[in-house]
Amino acid sequence: MSRGLPLLHRRRILLSGAIGGITCAAVAVGAAMAGQDGGGGAGASAGAAPAVRCPAVAGSLPEVPAESRAEVDRNLALLDTQTAEADKRLATSRGEGGPDFVRNAILGPLKDKRASTIDRIELSFSRQGSAAPSGLDALAGCSLTSG
């Protein structure tokens, strides 16, 4: 195959070769080339994909009243779901937006969601007459790991 062909045509040739049953390696090469469209946007670099990392809330809780256990467990599970959704959004939006995209579109909204969920955990303590745990608000913010 000629390197002089435009990238789009090279992809078509590779894909048609895989469909024609010539080789499965063409699919792998085509997939590898998919990230080489010259976009050079944020997150388009090779290597391990970044991931969302959030501080654990469960380990910072005092003894949970029995009457609040189910609600606290639901909200702790929701925190995990929120992190997983943000991680998925990060993976599917790789290369989108400018330099502040991840902060504004993923980490900022995640922090807001986590803060609301943490507030519900604190309220579940108060409803049972227990002292609400303090300092949990600091656990709302998340960051990125570099894979």
Side-chain angles (χ1 to χ4, degrees), residues 22-145:
I22 295 174
T23 178
C24 291
V27 174
V29 172
M33 289 176 62
Q36 299 176 1
D37 59 1
S45 64
V52 176
R53 170 157 299 167
C54 300
V57 174
S60 300
L61 294 176
E63 184 67 31
V64 178
E67 301 85 6
S68 300
R69 174 53 62 192
E71 184 177 3
V72 169
D73 286 346
R74 266 193 315 275
N75 283 302
L76 290 172
L78 181 57
L79 290 171
D80 291 339
T81 300
Q82 292 165 349
T83 303
E85 288 171 350
D87 222 9
K88 182 178 178 183
R89 172 79 169 112
L90 180 66
T92 60
S93 66
R94 201 160 181 188
E96 280 184 32
D100 295 328
F101 176 80
V102 171
R103 184 177 38 130
N104 294 335
I106 298 172
L107 294 179
L110 176 60
K111 182 179 181 179
D112 294 341
K113 290 176 188 178
R114 284 178 55 87
S116 295
T117 304
I118 289 169
D119 286 346
R120 287 193 299 274
I121 290 172
E122 292 171 341
L123 284 171
S124 67
F125 277 80
S126 299
R127 277 191 224 114
Q128 301 306 322
S130 298
S134 61
L136 294 181
D137 294 338
L139 303 176
C142 300
S143 61
L144 293 181
T145 63

